[in-house]
Amino acid sequence: MTYNLPPKVVSRRGITLLELALVIIVLLGFVSLAFVATRAWKRGSERSLCILTLRNMQMAARSYQNLHGYDYGARPDEENGTQDIAQHLHDKGYIEDQLFNRASGVAPCPSGGGYDCPSPDIFPEPGQLYMKCSLSATAGHQPSSTSNW
């Protein structure tokens, strides 16, 4: 008597090499997207911080100008041997050390550029900035409008 036994069914456990490769490829894609998004977020935050620095210095200079009755294009009275507006603001406590260092060109822009103040002893005309970032043309470190500053 012969018995016809069904063939053995082999059950596989685990994943194949192809499935493992697909999982790794998908994970690498997600990681690369995360790096790209992080870089874009960092550039955007550095740009925002630069524009905020420009705005804070502009607002401090305008406030000082209005408080002491100076006209546009005027120079402040000499105090402590200087007419530098940023120095006056710092000496009187209107701005902190970090903003003063950036306005003086000592501290760089968060993106690595530099700040330049073409006329540190003259109050700028309306619509003109007191200081500018060297990355304003290349990295967009220029505010869209400064008319209300």
Side-chain angles (χ1 to χ4, degrees):
M1 210 169 38
T2 47
Y3 295 104
N4 289 333
L5 296 174
K8 289 186 177 180
V9 177
V10 178
S11 66
R12 292 184 297 156
R13 294 185 183 171
I15 59 174
T16 65
L17 190 58
L18 179 63
E19 293 168 336
L20 180 64
L22 277 173
V23 168
I24 290 173
I25 289 171
V26 168
L27 288 176
L28 286 175
F30 285 142
V31 168
S32 66
L33 282 175
F35 279 123
V36 169
T38 303
R39 273 194 311 243
W41 175 78
K42 187 174 187 264
R43 278 193 310 268
S45 66
E46 288 171 346
R47 179 184 175 276
S48 295
L49 183 58
C50 180
I51 291 174
L52 188 63
T53 298
L54 295 174
R55 181 183 181 277
N56 287 343
M57 190 60 207
Q58 186 76 11
M59 297 296 279
R62 290 283 182 237
S63 296
Y64 184 80
Q65 176 186 1
N66 291 337
L67 239 117
H68 295 281
Y70 293 111
D71 292 328
Y72 298 112
R75 296 175 191 267
D77 296 333
E78 188 171 325
E79 292 179 18
N80 299 328
T82 184
Q83 286 184 307
D84 187 354
I85 296 169
Q87 185 70 48
H88 284 238
L89 292 171
H90 183 258
D91 291 346
K92 293 184 179 185
Y94 293 125
I95 60 173
E96 295 180 357
D97 293 338
Q98 186 178 18
L99 184 56
F100 173 69
N101 290 337
R102 288 186 175 157
S104 301
V106 176
C109 167
S111 295
Y115 291 107
D116 179 42
C117 189
S119 301
D121 59 343
I122 297 176
F123 289 104
E125 297 289 328
Q128 300 294 319
L129 291 176
Y130 176 75
M131 64 184 200
K132 296 179 183 186
C133 178
S134 63
L135 299 176
S136 62
T138 57
H141 287 218
Q142 183 71 24
S144 56
S145 173
T146 61
S147 61
N148 61 349
W149 292 6

